[in-house]
Amino acid sequence: MFIGDELSAAGYRLAGFAVLSPSLADCEAVLNEQLLRRPPFLLLSAEYAQALGAGSVDRMLIRFDPPVGIVRDAGGRVSAPDIARRVRRTLGIER
């Protein structure tokens, strides 16, 4: 499952993914609904992750079921977060 902007969704659709392109305002509700359906995994565009806010994204990433990945959008407007760095900072390995 991919949730993100329409341009990126078109590419994922061509690759065989189920896709959703809600408005940014509806993203959190759509994402929560999909998390309850427990797809094998879920990809979320960086733009949509940014609209959710850091706290929501952190809670989503630690769920592990389904696994969630944040990917760069096709237009490159928003970069995907550096998850490895966030983990190192959380563990106190890096500032």
Coordinates of all heavy atoms in Angstrom, one line a residue:
M1 N 0.8 -1.2 0.0 CA 0.0 0.0 0.0 C 0.9 1.2 0.0 O 1.9 1.3 0.8 CB -0.9 0.0 1.2 CG -1.6 1.3 1.5 SD -2.8 1.8 0.3 CE -4.0 0.5 0.4
F2 N 0.6 2.2 -0.8 CA 1.2 3.5 -0.9 C 0.2 4.6 -0.6 O -0.9 4.6 -1.2 CB 1.9 3.7 -2.3 CG 2.4 5.1 -2.4 CD1 3.7 5.5 -1.9 CD2 1.7 6.1 -3.1 CE1 4.1 6.8 -2.0 CE2 2.2 7.4 -3.2 CZ 3.4 7.7 -2.7
I3 N 0.6 5.5 0.2 CA -0.2 6.7 0.5 C 0.6 7.9 0.2 O 1.7 8.1 0.8 CB -0.8 6.8 1.9 CG1 -1.6 5.6 2.2 CG2 -1.5 8.1 2.2 CD1 -2.1 5.4 3.7
G4 N 0.2 8.8 -0.8 CA 1.0 10.0 -1.1 C 0.3 10.7 -2.2 O -0.8 10.5 -2.6
D5 N 1.1 11.7 -2.8 CA 0.6 12.5 -3.8 C 0.3 11.7 -5.1 O 0.8 10.6 -5.3 CB 1.7 13.6 -4.1 CG 3.0 13.0 -4.7 OD1 3.8 12.5 -3.9 OD2 3.1 13.0 -5.9
E6 N -0.5 12.3 -5.9 CA -1.0 11.6 -7.1 C 0.1 11.2 -8.1 O 0.0 10.2 -8.7 CB -2.1 12.5 -7.8 CG -3.3 12.6 -7.0 CD -4.4 13.4 -7.7 OE1 -4.4 13.5 -9.0 OE2 -5.3 13.8 -7.0
L7 N 1.1 12.1 -8.3 CA 2.2 11.8 -9.3 C 2.9 10.5 -8.8 O 3.2 9.6 -9.5 CB 3.1 13.0 -9.4 CG 4.3 12.8 -10.4 CD1 3.8 12.4 -11.8 CD2 5.1 14.0 -10.4
S8 N 3.3 10.6 -7.5 CA 4.1 9.4 -7.0 C 3.2 8.2 -7.0 O 3.6 7.1 -7.3 CB 4.5 9.7 -5.5 OG 5.4 10.8 -5.5
A9 N 1.9 8.3 -6.7 CA 1.0 7.2 -6.6 C 0.8 6.6 -8.0 O 0.7 5.3 -8.1 CB -0.4 7.7 -6.1
A10 N 0.9 7.4 -9.1 CA 0.8 6.8 -10.4 C 2.0 5.8 -10.7 O 1.8 4.7 -11.3 CB 0.8 7.9 -11.5
G11 N 3.1 6.2 -10.2 CA 4.3 5.3 -10.4 C 4.1 4.0 -9.6 O 4.4 2.9 -10.1
Y12 N 3.7 4.1 -8.4 CA 3.5 3.0 -7.5 C 2.4 2.1 -8.1 O 2.5 0.8 -8.0 CB 3.3 3.3 -6.1 CG 4.5 3.7 -5.4 CD1 4.9 5.1 -5.2 CD2 5.4 2.8 -4.9 CE1 6.1 5.4 -4.6 CE2 6.6 3.1 -4.2 CZ 6.9 4.4 -4.1 OH 8.1 4.8 -3.5
R13 N 1.4 2.7 -8.6 CA 0.3 1.9 -9.2 C 0.8 1.1 -10.4 O 0.4 -0.1 -10.5 CB -0.9 2.9 -9.7 CG -2.1 2.1 -10.1 CD -3.2 3.1 -10.5 NE -3.7 3.9 -9.4 CZ -3.6 5.2 -9.2 NH1 -3.0 5.9 -10.1 NH2 -4.0 5.8 -8.2
L14 N 1.6 1.7 -11.2 CA 2.2 1.0 -12.4 C 3.1 -0.2 -11.9 O 3.2 -1.2 -12.6 CB 3.1 1.9 -13.2 CG 2.3 2.9 -14.1 CD1 3.2 3.9 -14.7 CD2 1.5 2.2 -15.1
A15 N 3.6 -0.1 -10.7 CA 4.5 -1.1 -10.1 C 3.6 -2.2 -9.4 O 4.1 -3.2 -8.9 CB 5.5 -0.6 -9.2
G16 N 2.3 -2.0 -9.4 CA 1.4 -3.0 -8.8 C 0.9 -2.8 -7.4 O 0.3 -3.6 -6.8
F17 N 1.3 -1.6 -6.9 CA 0.8 -1.3 -5.5 C -0.6 -0.8 -5.5 O -1.1 -0.2 -6.5 CB 1.7 -0.1 -4.9 CG 3.0 -0.5 -4.5 CD1 4.0 -0.9 -5.4 CD2 3.3 -0.5 -3.1 CE1 5.3 -1.2 -4.9 CE2 4.6 -0.8 -2.7 CZ 5.6 -1.2 -3.6
A18 N -1.3 -1.1 -4.4 CA -2.6 -0.4 -4.1 C -2.2 1.0 -3.7 O -1.2 1.2 -2.9 CB -3.3 -1.1 -3.0
V19 N -2.9 2.0 -4.1 CA -2.5 3.4 -3.8 C -3.7 4.2 -3.3 O -4.8 4.0 -3.7 CB -1.8 4.1 -4.9 CG1 -0.5 3.4 -5.4 CG2 -2.7 4.3 -6.1
L20 N -3.4 5.2 -2.5 CA -4.4 6.2 -2.0 C -3.7 7.6 -2.1 O -2.6 7.7 -1.7 CB -4.9 5.9 -0.6 CG -5.6 4.6 -0.4 CD1 -5.9 4.4 1.1 CD2 -7.0 4.7 -1.1
S21 N -4.5 8.6 -2.5 CA -4.0 9.9 -2.6 C -5.0 10.9 -2.0 O -5.6 11.7 -2.6 CB -3.7 10.3 -4.1 OG -2.7 9.6 -4.6
P22 N -5.1 10.8 -0.6 CA -6.0 11.7 0.0 C -5.4 13.1 0.1 O -4.3 13.3 -0.2 CB -6.1 11.1 1.4 CG -4.8 10.5 1.6 CD -4.4 9.9 0.3
S23 N -6.2 14.1 0.5 CA -5.7 15.4 0.7 C -4.8 15.4 1.9 O -4.9 14.4 2.7 CB -6.8 16.4 0.9 OG -7.5 16.1 2.2
L24 N -3.9 16.3 2.0 CA -3.0 16.4 3.2 C -3.8 16.5 4.5 O -3.4 15.9 5.5 CB -2.0 17.5 3.1 CG -0.9 17.3 2.0 CD1 -0.1 18.6 1.9 CD2 -0.1 16.1 2.3
A25 N -5.0 17.2 4.4 CA -5.8 17.3 5.6 C -6.4 16.0 6.0 O -6.7 15.8 7.2 CB -6.9 18.3 5.3
D26 N -6.7 15.1 5.1 CA -7.3 13.8 5.4 C -6.3 12.7 5.6 O -6.7 11.6 5.8 CB -8.2 13.4 4.2 CG -9.4 14.3 4.1 OD1 -9.8 14.9 5.1 OD2 -10.0 14.4 3.0
C27 N -5.0 13.0 5.4 CA -4.0 12.0 5.4 C -4.0 11.1 6.7 O -3.9 9.9 6.7 CB -2.6 12.6 5.2 SG -1.2 11.5 5.3
E28 N -4.1 11.8 7.9 CA -4.0 11.0 9.1 C -5.1 10.1 9.3 O -4.9 8.9 9.7 CB -3.9 12.0 10.3 CG -3.6 11.3 11.6 CD -3.2 12.2 12.7 OE1 -3.4 13.5 12.6 OE2 -2.7 11.7 13.7
A29 N -6.3 10.5 8.9 CA -7.5 9.6 9.0 C -7.4 8.4 8.1 O -7.6 7.3 8.5 CB -8.8 10.4 8.7
V30 N -6.9 8.7 6.9 CA -6.8 7.6 5.9 C -5.7 6.6 6.3 O -5.8 5.4 6.3 CB -6.5 8.2 4.5 CG1 -6.0 7.1 3.5 CG2 -7.7 8.9 4.0
L31 N -4.6 7.2 6.8 CA -3.5 6.4 7.3 C -3.9 5.5 8.5 O -3.6 4.3 8.5 CB -2.3 7.3 7.7 CG -1.1 6.6 8.3 CD1 -0.4 5.6 7.3 CD2 -0.1 7.6 8.8
N32 N -4.6 6.1 9.4 CA -5.1 5.3 10.6 C -6.0 4.1 10.1 O -5.9 3.0 10.7 CB -5.7 6.2 11.6 CG -4.7 7.0 12.4 OD1 -3.6 6.6 12.5 ND2 -5.2 8.2 12.8
E33 N -6.9 4.4 9.2 CA -7.8 3.4 8.7 C -7.0 2.3 8.0 O -7.2 1.1 8.2 CB -8.7 4.0 7.6 CG -9.7 3.0 7.0 CD -10.5 3.7 6.0 OE1 -11.0 4.8 6.2 OE2 -10.7 3.0 4.9
Q34 N -5.9 2.6 7.2 CA -5.1 1.6 6.6 C -4.3 0.8 7.6 O -4.1 -0.4 7.4 CB -4.2 2.2 5.5 CG -5.0 2.7 4.3 CD -5.9 1.7 3.7 OE1 -5.5 0.6 3.4 NE2 -7.2 2.1 3.5
L35 N -3.8 1.5 8.6 CA -3.0 0.7 9.7 C -3.9 -0.3 10.4 O -3.5 -1.4 10.7 CB -2.5 1.7 10.7 CG -1.3 2.6 10.2 CD1 -1.0 3.7 11.2 CD2 -0.1 1.8 9.8
L36 N -5.2 0.0 10.5 CA -6.1 -1.0 11.1 C -6.4 -2.2 10.2 O -6.6 -3.3 10.7 CB -7.5 -0.3 11.5 CG -7.4 0.7 12.6 CD1 -8.8 1.4 12.8 CD2 -7.0 0.0 13.9
R37 N -6.3 -1.9 8.9 CA -6.5 -3.0 7.9 C -5.3 -3.9 7.9 O -5.3 -5.0 7.3 CB -6.8 -2.5 6.6 CG -8.1 -1.8 6.5 CD -8.4 -1.2 5.1 NE -9.6 -0.5 5.1 CZ -10.5 -0.6 4.2 NH1 -10.2 -1.3 3.1 NH2 -11.6 0.1 4.2
R38 N -4.1 -3.5 8.4 CA -2.9 -4.2 8.5 C -2.4 -4.8 7.1 O -2.3 -6.0 7.0 CB -3.0 -5.3 9.5 CG -3.3 -4.7 10.9 CD -3.5 -5.7 11.9 NE -2.3 -6.3 12.2 CZ -2.2 -7.3 13.1 NH1 -3.2 -7.7 13.8 NH2 -1.0 -7.8 13.4
P39 N -2.1 -3.9 6.2 CA -1.5 -4.4 4.9 C -0.2 -5.0 5.2 O 0.4 -4.8 6.3 CB -1.4 -3.2 4.0 CG -1.3 -2.1 5.0 CD -2.1 -2.5 6.2
P40 N 0.4 -5.8 4.3 CA 1.7 -6.4 4.5 C 2.8 -5.4 4.8 O 3.6 -5.6 5.6 CB 2.0 -7.1 3.2 CG 0.7 -7.3 2.5 CD -0.2 -6.2 3.0
F41 N 2.7 -4.2 4.2 CA 3.5 -3.1 4.5 C 2.9 -1.8 3.9 O 2.0 -1.9 3.1 CB 5.0 -3.3 4.0 CG 5.1 -3.3 2.5 CD1 5.3 -2.2 1.8 CD2 5.0 -4.5 1.9 CE1 5.4 -2.2 0.4 CE2 5.1 -4.6 0.5 CZ 5.3 -3.4 -0.2
L42 N 3.4 -0.7 4.4 CA 2.8 0.6 4.0 C 3.9 1.6 3.7 O 4.8 1.7 4.5 CB 1.9 1.1 5.1 CG 0.9 2.2 4.7 CD1 -0.4 2.0 5.4 CD2 1.4 3.5 4.9
L43 N 3.8 2.2 2.5 CA 4.7 3.3 2.2 C 4.0 4.6 2.2 O 2.9 4.7 1.7 CB 5.3 3.1 0.8 CG 6.2 1.8 0.6 CD1 6.6 1.7 -0.9 CD2 7.3 1.8 1.5
L44 N 4.6 5.6 2.8 CA 4.0 6.9 3.0 C 5.0 7.9 2.4 O 6.2 7.8 2.7 CB 3.8 7.2 4.4 CG 3.2 8.5 4.8 CD1 1.7 8.6 4.4 CD2 3.3 8.7 6.3
S45 N 4.5 8.8 1.6 CA 5.4 9.8 1.0 C 5.9 10.8 2.1 O 5.2 11.0 3.1 CB 4.7 10.6 -0.2 OG 3.8 11.5 0.4
A46 N 7.1 11.3 1.9 CA 7.7 12.2 2.8 C 6.8 13.5 3.0 O 6.7 14.0 4.1 CB 9.1 12.6 2.4
E47 N 6.2 13.9 2.0 CA 5.3 15.1 2.1 C 4.2 14.8 3.0 O 3.8 15.6 3.9 CB 4.8 15.5 0.7 CG 3.8 16.6 0.7 CD 3.3 17.0 -0.7 OE1 3.3 16.1 -1.6 OE2 2.9 18.1 -0.8
Y48 N 3.6 13.6 2.9 CA 2.5 13.3 3.8 C 2.9 13.0 5.2 O 2.3 13.4 6.2 CB 1.7 12.0 3.3 CG 0.8 12.4 2.1 CD1 1.2 13.0 1.0 CD2 -0.6 12.2 2.3 CE1 0.3 13.4 0.0 CE2 -1.5 12.5 1.2 CZ -1.0 13.1 0.1 OH -1.9 13.4 -0.9
A49 N 4.1 12.4 5.4 CA 4.7 12.2 6.7 C 4.9 13.6 7.4 O 4.7 13.7 8.6 CB 6.0 11.4 6.6
Q50 N 5.4 14.5 6.6 CA 5.7 15.9 7.2 C 4.4 16.5 7.6 O 4.3 17.2 8.7 CB 6.4 16.7 6.1 CG 6.8 18.1 6.6 CD 7.5 18.9 5.5 OE1 7.0 19.1 4.5 NE2 8.7 19.3 5.8
A51 N 3.3 16.3 6.9 CA 2.0 16.9 7.3 C 1.5 16.3 8.6 O 0.7 16.9 9.3 CB 1.0 16.6 6.2
L52 N 1.9 15.0 8.9 CA 1.4 14.4 10.1 C 2.1 14.9 11.3 O 1.6 14.9 12.4 CB 1.7 12.9 10.0 CG 0.9 12.1 9.0 CD1 1.4 10.7 9.0 CD2 -0.6 12.1 9.4
G53 N 3.4 15.3 11.2 CA 4.2 15.8 12.3 C 5.0 14.7 12.9 O 4.8 13.5 12.8
A54 N 6.1 15.1 13.5 CA 7.2 14.2 14.0 C 6.6 13.2 15.0 O 6.9 12.0 15.0 CB 8.3 14.9 14.6
G55 N 5.8 13.6 15.9 CA 5.3 12.7 17.0 C 4.4 11.6 16.4 O 4.6 10.4 16.7
S56 N 3.6 11.9 15.4 CA 2.7 10.9 14.8 C 3.6 9.9 14.0 O 3.3 8.7 14.0 CB 1.7 11.6 13.9 OG 0.8 12.3 14.6
V57 N 4.6 10.5 13.3 CA 5.4 9.6 12.5 C 6.2 8.7 13.4 O 6.3 7.5 13.1 CB 6.4 10.5 11.6 CG1 7.4 9.6 10.9 CG2 5.6 11.2 10.6
D58 N 6.7 9.1 14.5 CA 7.5 8.3 15.4 C 6.6 7.1 15.9 O 7.0 6.0 15.9 CB 8.1 9.1 16.5 CG 9.2 10.0 16.1 OD1 9.8 9.8 15.0 OD2 9.6 10.9 16.9
R59 N 5.4 7.4 16.3 CA 4.5 6.4 16.8 C 4.2 5.4 15.7 O 4.1 4.2 16.0 CB 3.2 7.0 17.3 CG 3.4 7.7 18.7 CD 2.0 8.1 19.3 NE 1.3 9.1 18.5 CZ 1.6 10.4 18.5 NH1 2.5 10.9 19.3 NH2 0.9 11.3 17.8
M60 N 4.0 5.9 14.5 CA 3.7 5.0 13.4 C 4.9 4.1 13.1 O 4.7 2.9 12.8 CB 3.3 5.8 12.2 CG 3.1 5.1 10.9 SD 2.8 6.2 9.5 CE 4.3 7.1 9.4
L61 N 6.1 4.6 13.1 CA 7.3 3.8 12.8 C 7.6 2.7 13.8 O 8.1 1.7 13.4 CB 8.5 4.7 12.6 CG 8.4 5.7 11.4 CD1 9.6 6.6 11.4 CD2 8.4 4.9 10.1
I62 N 7.2 2.9 15.0 CA 7.6 1.9 16.0 C 6.5 0.9 16.2 O 6.7 -0.1 16.9 CB 7.8 2.6 17.4 CG1 6.6 3.3 18.0 CG2 9.0 3.5 17.4 CD1 6.7 3.7 19.4
R63 N 5.4 1.0 15.4 CA 4.4 -0.1 15.4 C 4.9 -1.4 15.0 O 4.5 -2.4 15.5 CB 3.2 0.4 14.6 CG 2.3 1.5 15.1 CD 1.3 1.8 14.1 NE 0.4 0.7 13.8 CZ -0.8 0.5 14.2 NH1 -1.4 1.4 15.0 NH2 -1.5 -0.6 13.9
F64 N 5.6 -1.5 13.9 CA 6.2 -2.7 13.3 C 5.1 -3.6 12.6 O 5.5 -4.5 12.0 CB 7.0 -3.5 14.3 CG 8.2 -2.9 14.8 CD1 8.3 -2.5 16.1 CD2 9.3 -2.6 13.9 CE1 9.5 -1.9 16.5 CE2 10.4 -2.0 14.3 CZ 10.5 -1.6 15.6
D65 N 3.9 -3.3 12.9 CA 2.8 -4.2 12.3 C 1.7 -3.3 11.9 O 0.8 -3.0 12.7 CB 2.4 -5.3 13.3 CG 1.5 -6.3 12.6 OD1 1.5 -6.4 11.4 OD2 0.7 -6.9 13.4
P66 N 1.6 -3.0 10.6 CA 2.5 -3.3 9.5 C 3.7 -2.4 9.5 O 3.7 -1.3 10.1 CB 1.6 -3.0 8.3 CG 0.8 -1.9 8.7 CD 0.4 -2.2 10.2
P67 N 4.8 -2.9 8.9 CA 6.0 -2.1 8.8 C 5.6 -0.9 7.9 O 4.9 -1.0 6.9 CB 7.0 -3.0 8.1 CG 6.3 -4.2 7.7 CD 5.0 -4.3 8.4
V68 N 6.1 0.3 8.2 CA 5.9 1.5 7.5 C 7.2 2.1 7.0 O 8.1 2.2 7.8 CB 5.1 2.5 8.4 CG1 4.9 3.8 7.6 CG2 3.8 2.0 8.8
G69 N 7.3 2.5 5.8 CA 8.4 3.2 5.2 C 8.0 4.5 4.7 O 6.9 4.7 4.2
I70 N 8.9 5.5 4.9 CA 8.7 6.8 4.3 C 9.6 7.0 3.1 O 10.8 6.8 3.2 CB 9.0 7.9 5.4 CG1 8.0 7.7 6.6 CG2 8.8 9.3 4.8 CD1 8.3 8.6 7.7
V71 N 9.0 7.4 2.0 CA 9.7 7.5 0.7 C 9.6 8.9 0.2 O 8.7 9.6 0.5 CB 9.2 6.4 -0.3 CG1 9.5 5.0 0.2 CG2 7.7 6.6 -0.6
R72 N 10.6 9.2 -0.6 CA 10.6 10.5 -1.3 C 9.5 10.6 -2.3 O 9.2 9.6 -3.0 CB 12.0 10.7 -1.9 CG 12.3 12.1 -2.3 CD 13.7 12.1 -2.8 NE 13.9 13.4 -3.5 CZ 15.0 13.8 -4.0 NH1 16.1 13.1 -3.8 NH2 15.1 14.9 -4.6
D73 N 8.9 11.8 -2.5 CA 7.9 11.9 -3.5 C 8.5 12.1 -4.9 O 9.7 12.4 -5.0 CB 6.9 13.1 -3.2 CG 7.6 14.4 -3.2 OD1 8.1 14.8 -2.1 OD2 7.6 15.0 -4.3
A74 N 7.8 11.8 -5.9 CA 8.3 11.8 -7.3 C 8.8 13.2 -7.7 O 9.8 13.3 -8.4 CB 7.2 11.4 -8.3
G75 N 8.2 14.3 -7.2 CA 8.7 15.6 -7.5 C 9.9 16.1 -6.7 O 10.5 17.1 -7.0
G76 N 10.3 15.3 -5.7 CA 11.4 15.6 -4.8 C 11.2 16.9 -4.0 O 12.2 17.5 -3.6
R77 N 10.0 17.2 -3.7 CA 9.7 18.4 -2.9 C 10.1 18.3 -1.5 O 10.5 19.3 -0.9 CB 8.2 18.8 -3.0 CG 7.7 19.1 -4.4 CD 6.2 19.5 -4.5 NE 5.4 18.4 -3.9 CZ 4.9 17.4 -4.7 NH1 5.1 17.4 -6.0 NH2 4.1 16.5 -4.2
V78 N 9.9 17.1 -0.9 CA 10.3 16.9 0.5 C 11.1 15.6 0.6 O 10.8 14.6 0.0 CB 9.0 16.7 1.3 CG1 9.3 16.4 2.8 CG2 8.0 17.8 1.2
S79 N 12.3 15.8 1.3 CA 13.2 14.6 1.4 C 12.6 13.7 2.5 O 12.0 14.1 3.5 CB 14.6 15.1 1.8 OG 15.1 15.9 0.8
A80 N 12.9 12.4 2.3 CA 12.5 11.4 3.3 C 13.4 11.7 4.6 O 14.6 12.0 4.4 CB 12.7 10.0 2.8
P81 N 12.9 11.4 5.8 CA 13.7 11.7 7.0 C 14.8 10.6 7.1 O 14.7 9.5 6.6 CB 12.6 11.5 8.1 CG 11.6 10.7 7.5 CD 11.5 11.0 6.1
D82 N 15.8 11.0 7.8 CA 17.0 10.1 8.0 C 16.6 9.2 9.2 O 16.9 9.6 10.4 CB 18.2 10.9 8.2 CG 19.5 10.0 8.3 OD1 19.3 8.8 8.5 OD2 20.6 10.6 8.3
I83 N 16.0 8.1 9.0 CA 15.5 7.2 10.1 C 16.7 6.7 10.9 O 16.6 6.6 12.1 CB 14.6 6.1 9.5 CG1 13.4 6.6 8.7 CG2 14.2 5.1 10.6 CD1 12.5 7.4 9.5
A84 N 17.7 6.3 10.3 CA 18.9 5.8 11.0 C 19.4 6.8 12.0 O 19.7 6.5 13.1 CB 20.0 5.3 10.0
R85 N 19.5 8.1 11.6 CA 19.9 9.1 12.5 C 19.0 9.3 13.6 O 19.4 9.5 14.8 CB 20.1 10.4 11.7 CG 20.7 11.5 12.6 CD 21.1 12.7 11.7 NE 21.8 13.6 12.6 CZ 21.7 14.9 12.6 NH1 20.9 15.5 11.7 NH2 22.4 15.7 13.4
R86 N 17.7 9.3 13.3 CA 16.7 9.4 14.4 C 16.8 8.3 15.4 O 16.7 8.5 16.6 CB 15.3 9.4 13.8 CG 15.0 10.7 13.1 CD 13.7 10.7 12.4 NE 12.6 11.0 13.3 CZ 11.3 11.2 12.9 NH1 11.1 11.2 11.6 NH2 10.4 11.5 13.7
V87 N 17.1 7.1 15.0 CA 17.3 6.0 15.9 C 18.5 6.2 16.8 O 18.5 6.0 18.0 CB 17.4 4.6 15.1 CG1 17.8 3.5 16.1 CG2 16.0 4.3 14.5
R88 N 19.6 6.6 16.1 CA 20.9 6.9 16.9 C 20.7 8.0 17.9 O 21.2 7.9 19.0 CB 22.0 7.2 15.9 CG 22.5 6.0 15.1 CD 23.8 6.3 14.3 NE 23.7 7.5 13.5 CZ 23.3 7.4 12.2 NH1 23.0 6.3 11.6 NH2 23.3 8.5 11.4
R89 N 19.9 9.0 17.5 CA 19.7 10.1 18.5 C 18.8 9.6 19.6 O 19.0 10.0 20.8 CB 19.0 11.3 17.8 CG 20.0 12.0 16.8 CD 19.2 12.9 16.0 NE 19.1 14.2 16.6 CZ 18.5 15.2 16.1 NH1 17.9 15.1 15.0 NH2 18.4 16.4 16.8
T90 N 17.8 8.8 19.3 CA 16.9 8.2 20.4 C 17.7 7.4 21.4 O 17.5 7.4 22.6 CB 15.8 7.5 19.7 OG1 15.1 8.3 18.9 CG2 14.9 6.9 20.8
L91 N 18.7 6.6 20.8 CA 19.5 5.7 21.7 C 20.6 6.5 22.4 O 21.3 5.9 23.2 CB 20.1 4.6 20.8 CG 19.1 3.6 20.2 CD1 19.8 2.7 19.3 CD2 18.3 2.9 21.3
G92 N 20.8 7.7 22.1 CA 21.8 8.5 22.7 C 23.2 8.4 22.1 O 24.2 8.8 22.7
I93 N 23.3 7.7 21.0 CA 24.6 7.5 20.3 C 25.0 8.8 19.6 O 26.2 9.0 19.5 CB 24.5 6.3 19.3 CG1 24.1 5.0 20.1 CG2 25.7 6.1 18.5 CD1 23.7 3.9 19.2
E94 N 24.1 9.6 19.2 CA 24.4 10.8 18.4 C 23.5 11.9 18.9 O 22.4 11.7 19.4 CB 24.1 10.5 16.9 CG 24.4 11.6 16.0 CD 24.1 11.2 14.6 OE1 24.5 10.0 14.2 OE2 23.4 11.9 13.9
R95 N 24.0 13.1 18.8 CA 23.2 14.3 19.2 C 22.5 14.9 18.1 O 22.7 14.9 17.0 CB 24.2 15.3 19.8 CG 24.6 14.9 21.1 CD 25.5 16.0 21.7 NE 25.7 15.7 23.1 CZ 25.7 16.6 24.0 NH1 25.5 17.9 23.7 NH2 25.9 16.3 25.2

